Amino acid sequence: MTKFYIDQHGCAKNQTDGELIVGFLLNKGYIQTLDASEADFIFVNSCGFIESAKKESIQSIYDIKANYPEAKIILTGCLAERYASMLGKSMPELDGIFGNGDLSKIADFMDSIAEGKRQIQTFPQEGICSGNRPVLFNFKSSAFVKITEGCSNHCSFCAIPLIRGEVRSRTAESVINEIKDLILNGVYEINLIGQDLAAYGTGINDNCFGDGSTSLNTSDSPSGLKRLLEKISLLEGDFLVRLLYIHPDHFNKDIIEVIKKDNRFAKYFDIPFQSGDDEIILKMNRKGSQKSYVDMIKYIKSELPGCAIRTTFLTGFPGETDAAAENTKNFLKLIEPTWSGCFPYSREEDTPAYSMKNKVPAKIAQKRAEALEEIQSEISINQLNAYVGKEYKVLIEEIIENNSDDEFEATEGLALGRTWFQAPEVDGCVVVRYDLDDEKEKSAVKPGNVVKVKVLSNTGVDLDSRLISLEKEFSDSKIIFRVL
């Protein structure tokens, strides 16, 4: 039987694409292996968003070719989509290049590769590919659900529209059916993803909500995102929904009403501002300003006290002066997000910013990112202090094995998990302490289970806690989790 191994790179959107590829291949009779040395085919599911990610994916190809010379290497993902022709000519190490358009064609593509034919295929960026995902790369009980694809914001620094096309949305029925299936298979945490969730409802040619409506994001009607959340709210069960990535210029204020009514929606908002300087914001082809963004965060926090805000910043954007960098620092202090990521600007060909003048040296951009990180660290510590002494539900991800050489056997167990204000991979975690001699506690703390804990202290980025009780036990699932 033909075996394949997948080398996963990139963001959550690319992760779901990788999971779909696995599903289509398994359905065709291919076998996934966790040992690359056993694989007939090795997929590098690449990221092509910024320069460092491109280099990482390219280096992975070279490493795989050196370590597993007999395996055929297939490049998928954003790098494959964006540079298919160029890489086909410059990288003989690749036996195939498959873009991220219509992923359902991967099995037919692989049939040609199996016959010894080197293939390069990309497809139009139309619709959103969905399908069975029998393998999820998340920890147990957690999943990403992509509801939009592509982006029409055309921020001047961003290559996403070049790679994934203009924004389009899945139908509500498709999304709801997927979430239902995930819940039935023991998934507790549903993370809604897309390049811009605020645009949900755009780019649907058929009847999205089953009531004849197709124009969803107009000023006189509820946003498509609100209507989708209302449909999710009708589902039964104990689960958590988190929204990841909402463009600040299009934040759907009407979703706050839905979130207020249903505590299964995390009061968590991922809003990437990128800059706090008005001139740079405009150069980024964004419509807001420092004041409008500050006002928006104030509004969200007033409507949903105690909510969590995550954002990102690009430092060293062309034309960013010392004064502009200071404005961003001040902006960060004004909005006080729970979390933020700070990254030096990456110059991407074919984007408007690529040819902009007044480039900022990389060292200065890096120093500015570090300055923002220092400010954020203090903000995060202060905010996390507010959680100490309180009780929260925590999704257990993994058990920390005791490797101590101490002659006395450990009686305290440790596990890592996350609560509602901690998104997968990017935020801090909760350390859960429990009694190894207590069989009830020991059985409660297992990957995929949801437990109640009391937070004991703040360790800087993470929280230390003590187990109180088991809240939700992970049920047997036909889904395989965390196969990487």
Side-chain angles (χ1 to χ4, degrees):
M1 299 295 287
T2 305
K3 295 183 178 181
F4 71 92
Y5 176 89
I6 187 159
D7 179 37
Q8 180 66 37
H9 298 262
C11 66
K13 277 81 71 177
N14 200 47
Q15 176 180 314
T16 60
D17 288 351
E19 292 163 353
L20 283 169
I21 287 172
V22 171
F24 288 127
L25 290 176
L26 292 177
N27 187 57
K28 189 72 172 181
Y30 289 81
I31 297 175
Q32 186 180 14
T33 177
L34 303 184
D35 185 348
S37 67
E38 296 180 350
D40 302 291
F41 298 100
I42 297 179
F43 290 84
V44 178
N45 196 32
S46 63
C47 179
F49 184 53
I50 59 175
E51 189 63 26
S52 60
K54 296 177 197 174
K55 289 180 178 178
E56 178 187 296
S57 295
I58 295 294
Q59 186 59 50
S60 182
I61 295 168
Y62 289 134
D63 292 343
I64 289 169
K65 190 64 177 178
N67 294 321
Y68 312 105
E70 299 303 315
K72 293 184 180 297
I73 304 174
I74 312 299
L75 182 69
T76 58
C78 288
L79 198 67
E81 178 70 22
R82 189 176 183 190
Y83 301 106
S85 178
M86 183 185 77
L87 292 173
K89 295 174 183 177
S90 63
M91 294 199 72
E93 295 85 357
L94 294 172
D95 297 282
I97 299 175
F98 185 83
N100 58 16
D102 188 352
L103 300 176
S104 68
K105 300 288 198 306
I106 186 67
D108 293 337
F109 174 83
M110 290 305 298
D111 288 344
S112 297
I113 298 294
E115 293 172 3
K117 300 175 183 177
R118 190 172 190 260
Q119 296 288 312
I120 300 174
Q121 284 190 359
T122 59
F123 302 91
Q125 291 289 344
E126 299 173 348
I128 301 181
C129 188
S130 59
N132 187 31
R133 291 187 291 155
V135 176
L136 299 181
F137 302 157
N138 295 59
F139 287 107
K140 285 184 178 179
S141 288
S142 176
F144 292 112
V145 175
K146 188 189 294 187
I147 67 171
T148 68
E149 181 61 279
C151 188
S152 298
N153 290 310
H154 294 278
C155 298
S156 61
F157 56 84
C158 183
I160 290 298
L162 302 173
I163 300 171
R164 293 186 177 267
E166 298 297 310
V167 69
R168 58 262 189 210
S169 307
R170 288 173 64 183
T171 64
E173 180 182 16
S174 171
V175 175
I176 295 299
N177 285 340
E178 179 171 355
I179 293 175
K180 281 182 179 178
D181 186 61
L182 290 169
I183 293 171
L184 286 173
N185 280 282
V187 172
Y188 170 75
E189 178 185 71
I190 307 291
N191 297 284
L192 302 183
I193 59 171
Q195 270 73 37
D196 180 12
L197 297 189
Y200 179 75
T202 304
I204 298 177
N205 295 321
D206 56 2
N207 180 4
C208 179
F209 287 94
D211 58 5
S213 61
T214 55
S215 180
L216 302 171
N217 291 325
T218 59
S219 59
D220 58 350
S221 65
S223 69
L225 184 58
K226 178 190 177 183
R227 297 181 67 187
L228 177 64
L229 296 188
E230 287 176 332
K231 283 192 171 289
I232 294 173
S233 189
L234 295 176
L235 298 176
E236 296 181 356
D238 181 16
F239 57 87
L240 179 75
V241 177
R242 183 182 292 105
L243 282 67
L244 297 178
Y245 197 107
I246 299 178
H247 193 287
D249 291 344
H250 313 297
F251 183 83
N252 318 78
K253 286 187 176 180
D254 58 359
I255 67 174
I256 290 177
E257 175 187 339
V258 185
I259 293 171
K260 278 183 178 180
K261 293 179 180 178
D262 191 337
N263 60 14
R264 295 176 301 178
F265 290 108
K267 298 175 182 178
Y268 181 108
F269 302 96
D270 180 7
I271 309 172
F273 290 108
Q274 309 301 2
S275 176
D277 178 78
D278 288 357
E279 184 176 342
I280 295 300
I281 290 169
L282 291 177
K283 280 189 173 184
M284 288 179 167
N285 195 33
R286 295 188 162 204
K287 308 299 186 289
S289 64
Q290 182 184 108
K291 183 181 184 306
S292 68
Y293 292 159
V294 169
D295 288 346
M296 181 177 68
I297 294 299
K298 285 182 177 178
Y299 172 77
I300 295 171
K301 289 184 176 183
S302 67
E303 292 293 312
L304 295 168
C307 66
I309 305 291
R310 160 166 275 281
T311 190
T312 53
F313 293 100
L314 285 181
T315 58
F317 188 83
E320 185 186 59
T321 61
D322 289 341
E326 284 298 316
N327 285 338
T328 297
K329 287 164 68 174
N330 292 333
F331 173 68
L332 176 57
K333 294 173 184 177
L334 286 170
I335 64 171
E336 294 187 311
T338 313
W339 315 103
S340 73
C342 311
F343 309 97
Y345 164 71
S346 175
R347 192 165 171 244
E348 295 300 312
E349 62 268 27
D350 299 324
T351 63
Y354 185 82
S355 56
M356 287 184 179
K357 298 179 180 179
N358 301 319
K359 296 177 177 59
V360 177
K363 287 185 178 180
I364 293 178
Q366 181 61 40
K367 286 183 178 179
R368 289 175 180 172
E370 291 170 359
L372 291 177
E373 288 170 353
E374 187 175 339
I375 294 170
Q376 181 60 56
S377 177
E378 185 176 344
I379 294 172
S380 294
I381 289 171
N382 288 337
Q383 291 203 15
L384 291 175
N385 283 338
Y387 299 122
V388 176
K390 297 179 181 177
E391 297 178 1
Y392 297 96
K393 286 184 177 181
V394 170
L395 172 60
I396 300 295
E397 290 189 327
E398 54 185 326
I399 307 299
I400 302 175
E401 299 297 337
N402 178 32
N403 296 317
S404 173
D405 294 328
D406 195 316
E407 59 180 301
F408 298 104
E409 187 176 350
T411 59
E412 183 178 60
L414 298 174
L416 297 179
R418 292 179 296 102
T419 189
W420 67 267
F421 49 81
Q422 297 163 325
E425 307 293 345
V426 294
D427 299 332
C429 67
V430 179
V431 177
V432 180
R433 299 177 181 274
Y434 61 100
D435 188 349
L436 285 173
D437 292 332
D438 187 321
E439 287 301 322
K440 186 176 180 181
E441 291 198 4
K442 191 175 179 180
S443 64
V445 183
K446 291 181 179 178
N449 284 1
V450 179
V451 299
K452 181 184 287 186
V453 304
K454 182 174 182 178
V455 177
L456 304 174
S457 65
N458 168 19
T459 61
V461 177
D462 304 325
L463 295 173
D464 197 10
S465 74
R466 181 71 177 79
L467 175 70
I468 296 176
S469 62
L470 173 65
E471 292 292 297
K472 182 180 175 65
E473 189 170 15
F474 177 70
S475 58
D476 289 337
S477 173
K478 66 181 181 181
I479 297 173
I480 298 172
F481 291 87
R482 202 67 179 183
V483 177
L484 284 173

